[in-house]
Amino acid sequence: MIKIFNSAQIREWDSFTIANEPISPEGLMERASNAFVNWFVGKFNTKERIAIVCGKGNNGGDGVVIGRILSERKYDIKIFKADDQFSLDPFTVIIDAIFGTGLSRPVESDVIKKINSSSAIKIAVDVPSGLRLDTHSEGDIIKADYTITFQTPKLAFMMPENAEYVGEWKIVDIGLSQQFNSDSKNFFIDKISLKKRSKFSHKGDFGRALLIAGSHGKMGACVLAARAALRSGVGLLTVHIPKCGYNIVQTSVPEAMATVDVNEDHFSDAGEASNYDVIGIGPGLGVTASTVSGLRKILQAGKPMVIDADALNILSSARELFHLVPAGSILTPHPGEFKRLVGDWKDDFERLELQKQLAAPGKVRGGT
């Protein structure tokens, strides 16, 4: 489990570690700089000509320490103050240590413009300078090829609008307090959980799923969704399809069972759903009137659902169906589908807030 904290929480984490380990601020800076260098020396050799551009705060202090450690390891290092006049022409690598995680304002910086115009490889220490962690960023921002971030990823790294600034990001462990990490309750989480399976288990141990997908000309969406469900580990998969898709599914996904709709070319009624643990609906479904009625009926079955594609498009136009969405359901809209559900947004952080509002209790289940 990786917890993603906001900028204020990161400062609290630093302070808690300093007070409770205990370790001095200088000692923590030394530890962070060594973690950065350990990554760096695994990527770049001593033939590189390296410029380190440092600001006045802690991030600049990290840059100075990084420069000292790299110099001790026989790297060709030159350190610049961010407010100096200097040329970057001879350098093949630029390390950005101007601003850290505490930035709360837009930056206008000729130095950042100069760094961005350089053809050198650009590496940000902890966060690209000029990037704000918790809100939309404006002004000048380093366009890093690599961001070597301390201890945990930052929320801003997850936003598509920041991809050109963050580049490829890597986490390095700087030994911040595990007690603080364990005790903290207010955070974003990135969690991957793979259930271990007994060698004596069988398909009946891993759930029964119903997938309702496909229509005339769109059976590929059904095939892809069915294969994905099987690949994710579902035990018994039944695919409900229009008559026109029967041969396609039986040939393309022979592992799945198939039930056939009364309609030739679209979904209208999947029948009894009480035997299933979970239901997926939407890929390639279409939005005919009988499909809308079929969606209403399957929502009323009360099973946890994965609602995708045309099922979401139906929800966005038939808002009265929202109160039927069962507890434990997952909505998977792409940006266009999400816009039809909630309206437009001005940046990715506002989109995240709209996602949280839609998923809040009483919103999806109870109408929007």
Side-chain angles (χ1 to χ4, degrees), residues 235-255:
L236 292 162
L237 175 65
T238 298
V239 182
H240 183 81
I241 49 176
K243 291 179 181 179
C244 66
Y246 181 75
N247 288 336
I248 294 171
V249 167
Q250 291 283 266
T251 303
S252 302
V253 197
E255 305 97 317

Side-chain angles (χ1 to χ4, degrees), residues 75-97:
Y75 281 83
D76 182 4
I77 298 294
K78 181 71 173 179
I79 296 176
F80 299 98
K81 292 182 179 180
D83 54 0
D84 286 351
Q85 296 295 319
F86 52 85
S87 173
L88 295 172
D89 288 339
F91 298 99
T92 58
V93 176
I94 301 171
I95 296 175
D96 157 39

Side-chain angles (χ1 to χ4, degrees), residues 68-312:
R68 190 204 76 221
I69 298 170
L70 286 175
S71 181
E72 291 169 352
R73 297 196 185 196
K74 309 304 181 186
Y75 281 83
D76 182 4
I77 298 294
K78 181 71 173 179
I79 296 176
F80 299 98
K81 292 182 179 180
D83 54 0
D84 286 351
Q85 296 295 319
F86 52 85
S87 173
L88 295 172
D89 288 339
F91 298 99
T92 58
V93 176
I94 301 171
I95 296 175
D96 157 39
I98 305 172
F99 299 114
T101 59
L103 191 67
S104 59
R105 57 181 174 81
V107 172
E108 298 296 328
S109 169
D110 290 337
V111 171
I112 290 178
K113 290 184 176 74
K114 182 185 295 187
I115 292 172
N116 284 341
S117 67
S118 170
S119 61
I121 296 170
K122 303 165 191 69
I123 307 171
V125 178
D126 202 17
V127 60
S129 291
L131 187 71
R132 299 168 69 179
L133 297 194
D134 308 320
T135 59
H136 173 68
S137 297
E138 296 177 338
D140 294 319
I141 306 168
I142 291 291
K143 295 180 178 180
D145 297 291
Y146 300 95
T147 296
I148 310 308
T149 197
F150 298 147
Q151 203 68 41
T152 182
K154 313 307 188 271
L155 181 61
F157 298 177
M158 311 300 166
M159 302 301 178
E161 67 184 39
N162 294 328
E164 66 175 317
Y165 308 118
V166 177
E168 181 180 343
W169 55 268
K170 301 289 185 182
I171 303 170
V172 293
D173 190 336
I174 64 170
L176 293 183
S177 168
Q178 286 304 306
Q179 180 184 341
F180 181 94
N181 186 40
S182 299
D183 291 348
S184 296
K185 304 300 181 185
N186 184 23
F187 49 79
F188 295 94
I189 295 181
D190 176 21
K191 181 179 181 181
I192 299 175
S193 179
L194 298 178
K195 183 179 179 181
K196 290 185 179 180
R197 297 191 167 190
S198 166
K199 60 184 177 182
F200 297 111
S201 61
H202 57 84
K203 61 185 179 182
D205 295 329
F206 301 107
R208 296 172 178 267
L210 172 64
L211 172 64
I212 304 169
S215 59
H216 185 263
K218 298 178 182 178
M219 289 308 302
C222 175
V223 170
L224 291 173
R227 288 175 176 171
L230 290 165
R231 182 67 181 87
S232 70
V234 66
L236 292 162
L237 175 65
T238 298
V239 182
H240 183 81
I241 49 176
K243 291 179 181 179
C244 66
Y246 181 75
N247 288 336
I248 294 171
V249 167
Q250 291 283 266
T251 303
S252 302
V253 197
E255 305 97 317
M257 296 173 285
T259 60
V260 179
D261 203 275
V262 296
N263 278 290
E264 177 68 28
D265 59 4
H266 66 274
F267 159 67
S268 63
D269 188 350
E272 179 59 48
S274 61
N275 290 331
Y276 300 103
D277 300 304
V278 66
I279 298 170
I281 187 168
L285 206 63
V287 293
T288 66
S290 56
T291 298
V292 174
S293 298
L295 175 60
R296 178 189 296 274
K297 182 176 179 181
I298 207 71
L299 288 170
Q300 290 172 330
K303 298 290 184 177
M305 300 180 70
V306 177
I307 304 174
D308 183 44
D310 279 332
L312 292 171

